Amino acid sequence: MGSVVEDLRVSDPGLSRVWEKVREGERLDLEDGLACLGTDDLLGLGRMADHVKRQKSGEWVYFVINRYINPTNICVLSCSFCDFAKKKGQAGAFEHSIEDIVGMIEADVREVHIVGGHHPDWPFEYYERIIGGLHAARPNVQIKAFTAAEIDYLWRRWKIEPREALSRLKAAGLQTMPGGGAEIFSSRLAKQLRYAGKADGDRWCEIHGIAHSLGIRTNATMLYGHVETHAERVDHLLKLREQQDRSGGFLTFIALPYQVGATKLVPRSTPPADNLRTIAAARLLLDNFPHIEAYWVLLGEDTASVALHFGADDVNGTLEDERVQHMAGAQTPAGLAREQLFRIIRDANKVPVERDALYNVIQVWDREGAAA
């Protein structure tokens, strides 16, 4: 790796300072993050992030055979960026039974990812029964379920403390938590975009810390590309890094570019170059996160493949029947077969590695898609 370090040259003086710190193993700060997001030297930034990624996972890129399930889209909130939520009785509103949910899981699925609206009437025990019923019917499937925002809502609505809720859900079969509901940790944006009714940044981090203390590993996200500032993006990432220092249970970070859909906070989606800068900045700033994901559902297959040279080492998975982002206008297929995931990874000349929800390796494949 020494020659890679010595040969890296950047044209932006701001990035030169960042590269010196990366090379010396020093932590980046707000100013460094702003330099990454504001640079015109996109390729230099990518090479820096790729260097860090290689130190952590070499040429491997992870994927998982998974299934998204949204138990309901009925939600008490009215977030400005959301095309998914409906009110009770509104056209398009749905509620799935436990039997419906179990019936959605195919034999080869390793991970089920469950997130939904903040339902006004479902008691905590119903969520508990969802997990227990699914675990009993599909004991070999790892269950990733309920964002910190949902866990906080269960406290607000039913007064079930997060530690009790997560302990009971874990006993029922919960293994990991998704990273959704974080949005941007900004009180300004929470008011402007009407998500102040959700857990704020401190509460979101607190709940993830509780999950980590219970042995529940989790993910983290950031919704960007709407009306936030670069400083708000960097602040969000630094808050995630601080929480990881405290509790150490985050597995991966997923950058979520805002989908314009019908909400139209901005005229068009943020361009691919901004997505690549954000992923690279995340890889450089989140030095204590094992993995950075290129979420193909929102990035598209082409940009996701390029992002594998900008610090990302995961493309998520097959995501059968993903609804939240597709109802917001994501233009990618609603499900992607293993062969298509191989193509995304092979196009970047990386090694496909099939994983489970906890990043245990299931199978390493060669660049042609054969078992290595």
Side-chain angles (χ1 to χ4, degrees), residues 63-109:
F63 70 93
V64 63
I65 304 301
N66 58 355
R67 176 67 151 88
Y68 267 43
I69 294 177
N70 305 119
T72 182
N73 64 347
I74 296 173
C75 189
V76 301
L77 299 176
S78 300
C79 304
S80 297
F81 50 79
C82 183
D83 274 315
F84 172 73
K86 303 292 184 184
K87 300 304 178 189
K88 247 192 156 176
Q90 187 177 355
F94 65 84
E95 299 170 285
H96 289 310
S97 69
I98 296 170
E99 291 74 17
D100 292 337
I101 292 169
V102 170
M104 296 175 187
I105 310 301
E106 301 295 336
D108 61 344
V109 169

Side-chain angles (χ1 to χ4, degrees), residues 20-39:
E20 287 299 319
K21 294 176 77 169
V22 170
R23 187 166 57 181
E24 297 301 321
E26 297 179 24
R27 281 203 142 166
L28 304 188
D29 56 23
L30 174 63
E31 184 179 356
D32 299 321
L34 292 174
C36 292
L37 291 176
T39 187

Side-chain angles (χ1 to χ4, degrees), residues 119 121-129 146-170 174 199 203 206-207 210 214:
H119 196 287
D121 303 323
W122 283 2
F124 170 75
E125 289 76 14
Y126 187 70
Y127 295 88
E128 197 172 23
R129 290 198 300 271
F146 309 137
T147 67
E150 289 171 274
I151 298 299
D152 179 65
Y153 174 67
L154 292 171
W155 156 245
R156 295 174 188 235
R157 180 67 179 86
W158 302 109
K159 300 307 176 189
I160 305 291
E161 290 280 0
R163 183 170 294 277
E164 178 187 352
L166 289 169
S167 295
R168 288 169 62 176
L169 291 170
K170 182 181 179 183
L174 179 73
R203 179 66 163 170
E206 175 193 358
I207 290 171
I210 291 169
L214 295 171

